[in-house]
Amino acid sequence: VQLQASGGGLVQPGGSLRLSCVISGFTPRPYPIGWFRQAPGKEREGISCISGSGGSSYYADSVKGRFTSSRDNPVHTVYLEMNKLKPEDTAVYYCATVQDGCPPQGDILRPSWGLYWGQGTLVTVSS
């Protein structure tokens, strides 16, 4: 299984970006996909997770209400729509399969839950 994240770039505070994660290789079922990010000098953190069907999603408090995850299973792609971006959102963003499922809202999406990882895409929020 391979994942490839794309869509990062430079955006002004308050702006928007949409990240994509393309999943290739054989999977017996659509896996839940987590989004993680790692800012310079900080540990990697889980910020969003979407179920295999796309029917449910998890968001960390830091992004809830601003970020939205969706997926298009026929084209094996998961998206992360990011709105109202802040300088503190600057990080390398990664997607990963979360085979055991997304955590309940209010819990923590731990990087150790990710199995197959994409290469990361850099998001810079700056004026």
Side-chain angles (χ1 to χ4, degrees):
V1 178
Q2 296 84 40
L3 290 83
Q4 183 165 353
S6 62
L10 174 64
V11 63
Q12 293 187 343
S16 299
L17 277 177
R18 187 177 78 161
L19 305 183
S20 299
C21 176
V22 178
I23 304 108
S24 60
F26 174 76
T27 59
R29 55 181 173 83
Y31 287 138
I33 298 295
W35 286 97
F36 302 80
R37 68 184 182 186
Q38 188 164 17
K42 294 189 176 181
E43 293 187 352
R44 191 170 298 189
E45 62 170 337
I47 57 170
S48 181
C49 185
I50 185 167
S51 64
S53 67
S56 62
S57 298
Y58 158 93
Y59 300 98
D61 288 344
S62 57
V63 305
K64 190 176 181 183
R66 299 188 298 123
F67 291 12
T68 302
S69 187
S70 62
R71 66 191 300 157
D72 188 344
N73 283 340
V75 294
H76 311 293
T77 304
V78 174
Y79 304 99
L80 185 67
E81 185 76 33
M82 306 186 296
N83 298 313
K84 300 179 182 178
L85 284 161
K86 306 174 182 180
E88 51 263 44
D89 294 319
T90 295
V92 178
Y93 284 71
Y94 302 87
C95 57
T97 62
V98 183
Q99 262 91 327
D100 291 339
C102 299
Q105 194 64 40
D107 208 332
I108 296 175
L109 174 62
R110 303 183 187 280
S112 59
W113 293 15
L115 181 60
Y116 299 105
W117 289 81
Q119 84 287 4
T121 184
L122 176 63
V123 173
T124 303
V125 184
S126 175
S127 55

